[in-house]
Amino acid sequence: MTRTPLSGVACSIARATDLFGDAWTALIMRDVLLGLRRFDELAQDLGLSRKVLAARLARLVEEGVLTRERYQGSPPREEYVATEKGRELYPVLLALMAWGDKWYAGPAGPPAQIRHDACGHLATPVVACDACRKPLTVADTTQLPGPGGQVGPGTQLLGPLIAARGERVPERVTVPDAVRSALS
């Protein structure tokens, strides 16, 4: 099955999902960030085909999320190491883990816990405002237009809706009457 590329959609969630839209990619990153870096370790831990693993790893290297580093000269062997771009995925994975723990852990509880090494406490990851440190929720945030916002595939209705929330609607964005009346 061929997937429709999302890299051209003017939405950061869509663009990130274009790379991380399948479970294996997120699980590969989980494993690499937690210390499993060699191809055979990843294949054994995840139990997926070597062909699928090789394809996902190649894409992660191509996107600059992972690099290949040689750890043995003869025979040549390499391992996968997260770049800065890859390491910055850790909070995303923690947020996904926290959501999964809340809604899918089951009666036995979560399969893993996170200890914050700086204070020694078990932590529940939260997405918080960088200014006031309060958690961000859908009920207390508003999406506003950004400089790269545009209407197109994947944002036909959402783009104008977000643009209409700004102080002014950019000229390049036409807000459909249905969206405009919904905002009134």
Side-chain angles (χ1 to χ4, degrees), residues 3 10 12 16 28-29 33 40 46 54 66 78 107-108 118-119 183:
R3 277 190 338 115
S12 296
I28 289 166
M29 287 308 300
L33 290 167
D40 289 337
L46 297 171
L66 296 177
E78 295 179 325
C119 70
L183 294 171

Side-chain angles (χ1 to χ4, degrees), residues 19 22-32 36-62 66 68 78-80:
L19 178 60
D22 74 286
W24 292 124
T25 303
L27 293 175
I28 289 166
M29 287 308 300
R30 174 203 66 188
D31 280 11
V32 169
L36 300 179
R37 297 186 177 140
R38 297 179 181 172
F39 186 92
D40 289 337
E41 292 173 336
L42 294 166
Q44 180 182 351
D45 188 57
L46 297 171
L48 76 158
S49 78
R50 297 175 76 78
K51 181 179 176 181
V52 170
L53 178 59
R56 297 305 187 280
L57 287 168
R59 175 89 193 273
L60 290 166
V61 169
E62 177 184 315
L66 296 177
R68 293 172 65 155
E78 295 179 325
E79 62 185 5
Y80 295 90

